[in-house]
Amino acid sequence: MKTVKLIGIGAGALLAAAIIAGSVFLWKLSHRAVPDYNSSVTLKGLGADVTVYRDKFAIPHIYAKNERDLYMAVGYVMAQDRLWQMDLLRRVTQGRLSEIFGDKLIEADVLFRSLRIRDNSEKLLAELTPGERQALEAFAEGVNRYIESRNGSLPPEFAILKYRPEKWEIIHSLNLIGYMAWDLACGWKEKIMLHRIREKVGEDLFRQIEADAAGDTPVVPGYARDVDGRFRDAVRRIAAASRAVSDAGLQVFSASNNWAVSGRLSATGAPLLANDMHLGYGMPCLWMQMHQVAEGSLDVTGVALPGQPLIIVGHNDKIAWGMTNLTVDNVDFYLEKTAEGDPARYLFRGRAIPFETRTERISVKGGPAVERKIRFTVHGPMVTDIKDTGGLAVSMKWMGSLKSNEFLAVYLLNRAGDWNSFKAALRNFVAVSQNFAYADRKGNIGMYCAGGVPVRMKTPGMDVAPGWGGEYEWKGTVPFEEMPNSYNPPRGFVSSANNLPAAKYRHYINGWGFASPERIDRINELIGSKGKITAEDFMKMQVDVTSSLTRKVRDTLVAELGAEKTLSDREKSILAVMAKWDGALAPDSASGALCDVFFLKMIRNTFEDELGGELFRDFISPRSIPVNALRKIWGTGSAWFDRVETKGARETFRDIVLMSFRDAIAELDEKCGSGGWAWGKLHRLRLEHPLGKVKALDIIFGLNSESYPVGGSFHTIPQFAYRFFEPYAVLHGPSQRHIYDLADWDRSLSAVPSGISGVPASVHYLDQAPLFMKGKYHEDVTSPGAVKERARYIMILGKGGE
């Protein structure tokens, strides 16, 4: 017995020692890449010392004597904080995710290889201006100096996934243009889904919900029917591959807000500009806040994309700018016809042309390499080669295949000093289409829609077009001078929120509608309701959680159900509280919870019975389409409100309102309890690392954030949105908030959802999250005195030998 006890004690001691040793190992593994922001480092290749000041949030302010040294320091500093994220982004563009994640990402890799991103980057590489080349080469050199200096002490993700980062090349930075272009590509899912709805419900019902901004979208008879079933499966596979990348927290632009007011409307007499770009949430957040100064030539601040050296949105010493997505229909599908007796050729304008074929070899972690053949036509990649569809041949043309140089555009934006140089920079936006808000120190404001809007010989509408005749080709893009724009408008402000940029615009932009108008309406309403506007007013606007939809829901419920005789006492009580609601979707609001749950029930009870489960899920995947559809028929006698399964009866709008009201109450009781409704109980945001889905890794390394209750929704200015088919977890929303005060740059304000660091053990990994979730900001100073006064860390990157 004594021996057994001793063995037990010994085993316990051994286990304790193992746990301690393991804990020490894990601590070292998790902390080995945490940067020492106060260290001094000799950086071979620098021409002169560079000083990096960091404030209490560790946001870097980089001061260099010249631009080459600046961008080398940017590469080093960015790699300190975001090396694994940078590597992940370049792997997306290369189609090399399967190498580290396994076979679930094979189709994502095939998709991105089919986009030929590197081919386009190589064309840009041959045409770089000296300034661009210097920036890219110096940046890559800085990244590689950091990798070389680590001696294996890299961020923990590399150890977890058992690989090392390769040398950074300048083409890796250029590849990110292609990724942004694909991430913004619009229409490829929506067109197929809308075509299927038209086919299922008929022209009359479809016309009732068709987007007002559809433009000329005739049906191409017959061809879509030929491809519908098999092609639909291929499109779903493409969507799933893209979503796998977005789920890794690598989505770039999606929705956004920006606006600017002139000095005539501001309290300071100088313009104010606000921007919050919306994207999928992940850890770390996509943007890296940074201030870059090259003595005598450049002083620019804002957010950079990990892997590129430039400030994407922000301000320099003369102008400020912000972006929102234009939502251009810039993807078309073509049914290709193979030559009779020769499947290696396809027909185009009377000729039999050989398919261009590439064999892609994809390395797969934990398994054998996979080979896939991808064919290309004059239109682009054969998307039906990505997923076998039994011989169907459909190709895809997208804007990212055209010549485009967004890197040059942003390089010039960083240096622009007035409206004309700002516009000159925007001319280079083709693959990436954005609404740019503008303001300058001389008091001017403006808005310019920049990017490639295809001009088609014929638009194929929502169908797959016949590819062999040539009548559905693109003739080019809308000339830059004809793109919607506004400079110093009489009303004194400009604004955009993914809405139609110009009334009665003569060029076709998209055929399924823009974002529903609640956000832009609220922005314009708040600006118009103010006296002299301050930066504090802009802060309140960016976190405002009231919209025209919240008020519409409130007023509809009261009007339609106020005299309803079948309401129970509890239902009457709920309605009475709703009638007094101010329309704000605050986290603690019970009426706010009822509002969004009711609206989703209205969408389901109105459309699902006609569409069926599978098509209804596709219909609600892009939020703007069902929201705009329901808005069009709201309060009408539309046949959409008649329930298919109730024979001999015809339901009205009021019937669906009552049904949805009761469904919403039942769901809230189930999820919150009958006495404790609150929007924040359902509507929560958790920032998740791509590896944080593995619970043990999250516990060990602290990869994910806590779960935050948040207000707002898809229809409020801070668009904390969720998937309609998986409500109500927040997956999409503001990725940064900036307010620029052109009277005094040091009064500018900023915040991001997570923090500057991508190293989970860093105190700056999530240190801005509590601030951001509460709708608060930090100072965004740029004057040398203010930067030095607030410096918490100072790093000297010293000039080294050659």
Side-chain angles (χ1 to χ4, degrees):
M1 186 70 178
K2 186 176 181 181
T3 304
V4 172
K5 187 175 181 180
L6 287 173
I7 292 173
I9 292 170
L14 185 62
L15 179 61
I19 291 172
I20 292 168
S23 298
V24 171
F25 169 76
L26 291 174
W27 188 93
K28 287 182 177 180
L29 178 63
S30 63
H31 284 74
R32 68 185 185 184
V34 175
D36 179 358
Y37 296 134
N38 281 316
S39 64
S40 292
V41 178
T42 299
L43 208 56
K44 181 182 176 182
L46 281 179
D49 290 357
V50 176
T51 304
V52 183
Y53 300 98
R54 291 180 182 257
D55 61 16
K56 65 181 180 180
F57 293 107
I59 297 168
H61 300 257
I62 305 173
Y63 286 80
K65 294 293 185 183
N66 58 70
E67 292 190 19
R68 187 189 179 282
D69 286 351
L70 170 67
Y71 288 121
M72 188 174 175
V74 168
Y76 187 91
V77 167
M78 189 176 283
Q80 273 188 312
D81 284 315
R82 302 293 185 93
L83 182 60
W84 188 71
Q85 187 181 34
M86 292 165 62
D87 186 72
L88 195 58
L89 277 166
R90 72 169 161 179
R91 284 182 173 276
V92 172
T93 66
Q94 294 172 317
R96 295 178 58 196
L97 291 173
S98 300
E99 289 182 21
I100 60 173
F101 290 128
D103 58 9
K104 291 182 180 179
L105 274 297
I106 289 174
E107 287 188 352
D109 285 344
V110 175
L111 168 63
F112 277 93
R113 294 190 189 200
S114 76
L115 299 178
R116 297 195 285 196
I117 289 173
R118 186 182 177 92
D119 291 6
N120 290 332
S121 296
E122 287 176 344
K123 293 174 187 175
L124 293 181
L125 206 56
E127 300 176 1
L128 291 174
T129 65
E132 289 177 276
R133 183 172 292 278
Q134 175 181 258
L136 287 164
E137 288 178 345
F139 175 80
E141 189 175 351
V143 174
N144 291 326
R145 290 282 182 266
Y146 176 77
I147 294 172
E148 293 162 5
S149 72
R150 298 310 297 163
N151 295 320
S153 297
L154 296 166
E157 293 93 338
F158 291 106
I160 293 167
L161 296 171
K162 298 180 181 178
Y163 79 103
R164 285 183 56 81
E166 297 168 2
K167 182 179 179 181
W168 194 269
E169 301 174 15
I170 63 176
I171 201 167
H172 298 153
S173 296
L174 291 175
N175 284 347
L176 294 178
I177 297 171
Y179 175 65
M180 289 189 288
W182 174 252
D183 194 61
L184 285 164
C186 294
W188 54 280
K189 293 172 289 186
E190 292 86 351
K191 288 183 187 181
I192 304 305
M193 177 267 293
L194 289 169
H195 162 73
R196 292 173 61 211
I197 291 177
R198 189 201 295 263
E199 290 286 298
K200 176 145 189 167
V201 305
E203 194 69 19
D204 289 343
L205 271 183
F206 182 79
R207 286 289 181 188
Q208 292 181 31
I209 63 169
E210 188 178 25
D212 291 327
D216 178 25
T217 56
V219 176
V220 184
Y223 298 115
R225 293 187 188 89
D226 294 340
V227 304
D228 190 44
R230 291 176 292 166
F231 177 51
R232 187 168 70 243
D233 185 49
V235 170
R236 280 212 186 93
R237 289 300 188 100
I238 297 170
S242 286
R243 190 164 57 246
V245 174
S246 295
D247 286 347
L250 298 177
Q251 186 186 44
V252 188
F253 306 104
S254 185
S256 300
N257 305 308
N258 61 18
W259 62 87
V261 300
S262 70
R264 179 166 59 83
L265 299 184
S266 78
T268 65
L272 293 164
L273 186 146
N275 186 205
D276 54 300
M277 297 180 289
H278 301 170
L279 51 78
Y281 283 119
M283 281 301 300
C285 69
L286 191 63
W287 304 117
M288 183 167 177
Q289 297 163 290
M290 186 177 289
H291 177 206
Q292 302 174 357
V293 181
E295 192 173 296
S297 67
L298 187 67
D299 188 345
V300 60
T301 188
V303 292
L305 180 66
Q308 280 198 347
L310 308 175
I311 298 300
I312 303 293
V313 298
H315 76 77
N316 57 32
D317 53 340
K318 295 182 177 68
I319 74 165
W321 70 95
M323 299 184 188
T324 68
N325 189 11
L326 183 56
T327 62
V328 177
D329 178 357
N330 53 15
V331 176
D332 281 343
F333 292 104
Y334 296 86
L335 180 64
E336 305 288 4
K337 184 182 290 185
T338 55
E340 187 173 349
D342 189 358
R345 295 175 180 266
Y346 65 96
L347 301 180
F348 182 68
R349 289 178 172 168
R351 295 188 301 138
I353 303 173
F355 285 99
E356 178 189 344
T357 303
R358 290 187 180 184
T359 300
E360 296 287 349
R361 188 176 190 276
I362 300 171
S363 298
V364 181
K365 182 178 181 180
V370 173
E371 284 195 354
R372 291 284 185 89
K373 287 186 177 180
I374 306 172
R375 296 174 297 166
F376 300 85
T377 72
V378 294
H379 301 120
M382 299 295 297
V383 296
T384 44
D385 287 355
I386 296 172
K387 164 64 181 173
D388 179 29
T389 52
L392 187 68
V394 176
S395 64
M396 178 183 72
K397 186 177 184 70
W398 70 299
M399 188 58 65
S401 65
L402 301 187
K403 184 178 179 181
S404 181
N405 194 347
E406 280 72 14
F407 186 82
L408 175 59
V410 178
Y411 180 86
L412 295 174
L413 269 181
N414 283 206
R415 292 155 177 79
D418 56 23
W419 177 248
N420 288 331
S421 54
F422 169 76
K423 289 194 299 179
L426 300 190
R427 286 180 178 274
N428 296 284
F429 275 86
V430 178
V432 177
S433 300
Q434 296 286 295
N435 291 309
F436 286 83
Y438 167 91
D440 65 37
R441 293 295 295 271
K442 293 182 179 179
N444 303 299
I445 63 169
M447 181 78 69
Y448 213 106
C449 298
V453 176
V455 177
R456 296 166 168 93
M457 296 173 67
K458 286 184 181 179
T459 172
M462 291 168 294
D463 291 332
V464 178
W468 51 88
E471 66 270 35
Y472 290 95
E473 301 305 304
W474 294 4
K475 295 188 292 185
T477 58
V478 173
F480 181 78
E481 291 76 13
E482 296 180 23
M483 293 292 285
N485 64 90
S486 175
Y487 183 60
N488 289 331
R491 68 178 183 172
F493 71 93
V494 293
S495 58
S496 74
N498 316 113
N499 49 286
L500 181 66
K504 299 181 180 179
Y505 187 54
R506 72 185 188 90
H507 294 291
Y508 167 78
I509 296 180
N510 78 45
W512 59 89
F514 294 85
S516 55
E518 292 85 10
R519 285 185 292 127
I520 190 64
D521 286 350
R522 184 62 172 166
I523 290 167
N524 293 344
E525 174 190 349
L526 289 172
I527 292 175
S529 68
K530 304 290 183 182
K532 292 294 185 178
I533 298 171
T534 66
E536 288 71 27
D537 291 324
F538 273 20
M539 289 169 63
K540 292 175 183 176
M541 286 177 63
Q542 284 190 328
V543 298
D544 180 84
V545 291
T546 300
S547 78
S548 56
L549 180 62
T550 63
R551 293 177 294 205
K552 177 187 286 188
V553 166
R554 177 194 64 199
D555 296 345
T556 296
L557 285 170
V558 172
E560 296 292 334
L561 303 183
E564 175 61 46
K565 295 179 180 179
T566 65
L567 292 184
S568 68
D569 289 342
R570 182 174 179 235
E571 289 170 340
K572 290 176 183 177
S573 175
I574 292 169
L575 196 62
V577 172
M578 191 76 174
K580 297 176 182 178
W581 178 45
D582 63 2
L585 274 168
D588 61 353
S589 173
S591 293
L594 179 62
C595 171
D596 258 43
V597 177
F598 165 79
F599 192 78
L600 258 62
K601 298 298 183 184
M602 282 292 296
I603 290 174
R604 182 172 295 279
N605 291 332
T606 301
F607 298 112
E608 187 178 29
D609 57 323
E610 279 89 358
L611 300 181
E614 178 189 330
L615 183 51
F616 177 74
R617 182 187 166 104
D618 290 346
F619 173 64
I620 63 175
S621 291
R623 285 179 297 268
S624 62
I625 289 179
V627 173
N628 281 326
L630 186 55
R631 282 181 60 252
K632 283 198 71 174
I633 61 173
W634 191 271
T636 70
S638 171
W640 280 101
F641 296 119
D642 183 29
R643 302 286 293 176
V644 171
E645 71 270 15
T646 55
K647 306 299 181 183
R650 182 180 175 86
E651 285 79 13
T652 65
F653 174 68
R654 177 174 292 183
D655 292 326
I656 302 303
V657 169
L658 179 59
M659 179 188 302
S660 302
F661 177 63
R662 286 173 169 162
D663 288 350
I665 291 172
E667 180 167 325
L668 285 165
D669 283 348
E670 177 186 346
K671 293 182 180 297
C672 299
S674 59
W677 295 1
W679 181 224
K681 285 186 177 181
L682 302 177
H683 193 239
R684 304 184 71 86
L685 171 56
R686 180 179 174 88
L687 303 170
E688 294 191 350
H689 188 283
L691 303 182
K693 294 178 177 62
V694 179
K695 190 172 182 180
L697 292 178
D698 180 30
I699 292 170
I700 292 168
F701 294 102
L703 301 176
N704 301 332
S705 77
E706 64 180 271
S707 176
Y708 294 93
V710 292
S713 189
F714 62 90
H715 48 87
T716 59
I717 294 173
Q719 193 189 43
F720 287 116
Y722 47 85
R723 291 175 181 153
F724 282 3
F725 53 86
E726 292 176 340
Y728 300 88
V730 177
L731 299 172
H732 170 98
S735 62
Q736 46 72 242
R737 296 191 185 110
H738 279 91
I739 297 169
Y740 297 125
D741 188 335
L742 282 86
D744 180 354
W745 292 125
D746 283 350
R747 292 206 297 260
S748 298
L749 302 161
S750 178
V752 296
S754 55
I756 200 70
S757 180
V759 181
S762 170
V763 296
H764 300 294
Y765 182 65
L766 273 165
D767 59 336
Q768 291 190 52
L771 191 78
F772 188 88
M773 300 304 171
K774 294 176 182 176
K776 297 186 182 299
Y777 297 71
H778 60 75
E779 295 175 303
D780 194 6
V781 302
T782 54
S783 69
V787 168
K788 293 175 183 177
E789 180 184 336
R790 289 160 178 77
R792 183 73 58 87
Y793 310 96
I794 301 175
M795 170 183 280
I796 305 297
L797 299 177
K799 174 183 176 181
E802 291 302 322

